[in-house]
Amino acid sequence: MKKKLHFNSATIHGGQEHDKAYGAVMPPIYQTSTYAQSTPGGHKGFEYSRTHNPTRLALERSLASIESGKYGFAFSSGLAAIDAVLKLLRPGDEIISTNDLYGGSYRLFRKIFEDYGLKFQFISMNNLDNFNSVINKKTKLIWIETPTNPMMNIIDIKAIVSLVKGEDILVAVDNTFASSYIQQPLTLGADIVMHSATKYLAGHSDVILGALILNNKELAERIGFIQNASGAICGPMDSFLTLRGIKTLHVRMQRHCENAATIANYLNKNSKIEKVYWPGFENHPNHLVAKTQMKDFGGMLSFVTKGADYNAAIKIVERLKIFTLAESLGGVESLAGHPASMTHASIPKEEREKSGLVDALIRLSVGIEDVRDLINDLEQAIG
Ligand SMILES: *Cc1c(COP(=O)(O)O)cnc(C)c1O
């Protein structure tokens, strides 16, 4: 298969070979730590499973294929993947990151890597002028997350890539919220794509797994070295589950997007709702960027109910029956969250409210159920 596959075929066949031993159509779960050698060094390409494992390799090839990249790496979690990216840097290096950031990434940056001499600057990337005051000779990495969580801001990846063109600065994109179906940052010029594959890629809320995809050979060799040297790899079973999830990514994403669009429009017309955050609305501040850089608007949205406070929002999420109240996102089942008391509770209220994250905000990860049942559930919970 030399010709580049279309996305909806790459999810199923991309980078895959049939099993050479028995012709198994699905990649077997090679639950082994080591491999027999006929003479010292005489092996079939696999020596020890921290370094390489055939099931993980099948997943890594699939990841590269669906992200239009050359090299894929799978890790034990999304955070382990981010950890590997930061290990490319040296004390004194500076990182510019989106301020509306996944809480776990923020914690890893501030509580672990700051102590190793890295310096992080957090800015709103909606306005490129904000880079002027923070970018300097020590800047080595720009960390982008788009759409942002939970305010659904859209950041222009291509514009940021152009801004640092020719400089010794890497651009990395956390592509978890969009998934490879909706957005392909490498094709927009980014150097590194990261996924919490725990979410849309695996898609069934049954595995924790992280991924990095790159195009540059030298950079990929360094990431491969870090993956093996630090050892935060995923096991064969988790690799298998993620690979299986990826095979239906395109059909799941189509339904996630369709259902989220229907719900966003339903909420927008509901007189009890104050505001809906979803990049598909024409009056969303970054709608045009979303339209050009994304294939669709995704399965995530947030909303605020009129007159609701902290407790009223909690009551609404507690009344939901089909939407499960839980952390995480991207599974086939719908989830609801209350950021002010859950994912973003550690951020002070005044800080939260600066970006619009009020106490009444509710975040939905819209699943692939029949959308009529989801709307009925919201209707009864909002009251
Ligand atoms: C969940 C998540 C992560 C962390 O991934 P884990 O697999 O939980 O380690 C990073 N970024 C985003 C946007 C996430 O949603």
Side-chain angles (χ1 to χ4, degrees):
M1 279 195 266
K2 283 279 178 296
K3 204 160 179 237
K4 190 176 182 300
L5 293 171
H6 291 101
F7 186 84
N8 295 356
S9 309
T11 51
I12 298 167
H13 300 291
Q16 301 306 299
E17 298 169 352
H18 285 306
D19 160 54
K20 291 191 186 77
Y22 300 104
V25 171
M26 288 300 134
I29 301 162
Y30 282 95
Q31 194 72 52
T32 185
S33 61
T34 189
Y35 306 82
Q37 308 192 5
S38 54
T39 175
H43 55 74
K44 298 176 175 167
F46 297 90
E47 277 175 286
Y48 187 62
S49 281
R50 175 165 24 76
T51 320
H52 295 296
N53 172 281
T55 319
R56 194 176 91 222
L57 186 63
L59 169 63
E60 293 179 327
R61 287 183 167 155
S62 167
L63 290 165
S65 169
I66 62 169
E67 272 294 342
S68 304
K70 289 200 183 110
Y71 309 98
F73 297 92
F75 293 85
S76 54
S77 69
L79 282 168
I82 303 175
D83 178 274
V85 173
L86 294 171
K87 285 174 178 161
L88 293 166
L89 305 177
R90 293 289 168 268
D93 288 351
E94 298 193 9
I95 299 95
I96 302 174
S97 164
T98 32
N99 55 357
D100 199 0
L101 184 72
Y102 175 70
S105 310
Y106 183 80
R107 182 177 54 198
L108 179 67
F109 292 174
R110 299 294 312 272
K111 305 275 177 180
I112 306 281
F113 279 97
E114 245 173 34
D115 288 346
Y116 288 82
L118 299 184
K119 185 173 171 196
F120 296 87
Q121 310 260 20
F122 298 90
I123 62 165
S124 160
M125 294 190 185
N126 283 329
N127 182 352
L128 293 188
D129 292 342
N130 293 343
F131 278 91
N132 295 337
S133 58
V134 287
I135 203 160
N136 64 60
K137 286 267 171 289
K138 292 184 193 155
T139 307
K140 288 288 179 282
L141 175 69
I142 295 181
W143 188 264
I144 303 173
E145 202 180 296
T146 178
T148 64
N149 174 25
M151 299 316 300
M152 307 305 296
N153 289 313
I154 306 294
I155 291 159
D156 189 341
I157 299 171
K158 216 172 179 173
I160 293 173
V161 167
S162 314
L163 188 75
V164 299
K165 205 170 177 72
E167 309 278 340
D168 181 23
I169 299 175
L170 294 171
V171 176
V173 179
D174 181 337
N175 206 22
T176 303
F177 258 48
S179 89
S180 331
Y181 170 80
I182 287 182
Q183 176 171 286
Q184 306 227 320
L186 294 178
T187 66
L188 302 171
D191 302 291
I192 303 172
V193 169
M194 173 264 156
H195 278 279
S196 168
T198 310
K199 317 292 168 53
Y200 286 110
L201 297 193
H204 295 73
S205 307
D206 53 8
V207 65
I208 299 281
L209 195 138
L212 296 179
I213 303 102
L214 310 88
N215 268 328
N216 180 283
K217 184 158 186 264
E218 188 257 341
L219 200 58
E221 277 168 3
R222 289 172 64 201
I223 289 289
F225 182 85
I226 293 166
Q227 184 195 39
N228 181 48
S230 286
I233 48 115
C234 48
M237 183 68 193
D238 290 351
S239 300
F240 173 85
L241 285 171
T242 305
L243 195 51
R244 185 167 79 161
I246 288 173
K247 287 179 194 292
T248 56
L249 177 65
H250 52 296
V251 281
R252 285 186 286 108
M253 288 315 298
Q254 280 165 15
R255 184 62 61 84
H256 281 296
C257 294
E258 239 173 72
N259 282 358
T262 307
I263 289 176
N265 284 302
Y266 154 76
L267 290 171
N268 208 30
K269 287 199 201 96
N270 187 324
S271 59
K272 297 197 171 112
I273 301 301
E274 172 93 37
K275 180 137 180 76
V276 185
Y277 297 89
W278 178 66
F281 291 132
E282 272 172 30
N283 66 358
H284 181 285
N286 320 115
H287 179 67
L288 284 181
V289 181
K291 253 175 92 171
T292 23
Q293 119 181 336
M294 300 165 78
K295 178 147 86 187
D296 207 329
F297 301 113
M300 301 297 299
L301 62 93
S302 300
F303 68 95
V304 176
T305 308
K306 270 187 198 152
D309 57 9
Y310 190 90
N311 291 325
I314 289 181
K315 286 258 154 50
I316 293 172
V317 291
E318 283 175 353
R319 277 198 293 266
L320 287 165
K321 293 194 172 74
I322 297 180
F323 282 86
T324 303
L325 176 59
E327 308 270 359
S328 200
L329 61 118
V332 289
E333 70 295 322
S334 292
L335 301 180
H338 179 237
S341 66
M342 297 166 73
T343 44
H344 293 67
S346 59
I347 304 171
K349 187 173 154 86
E350 310 78 67
E351 281 299 310
R352 290 200 303 259
E353 295 196 337
K354 268 189 211 156
S355 61
L357 202 172
V358 295
D359 283 350
L361 190 89
I362 291 172
R363 187 189 84 174
L364 301 180
S365 167
V366 179
I368 64 170
E369 300 94 335
D370 190 312
V371 74
R372 292 170 297 187
D373 294 322
L374 299 178
I375 287 180
N376 287 342
D377 196 26
L378 287 165
E379 185 90 23
Q380 65 80 21
I382 293 163

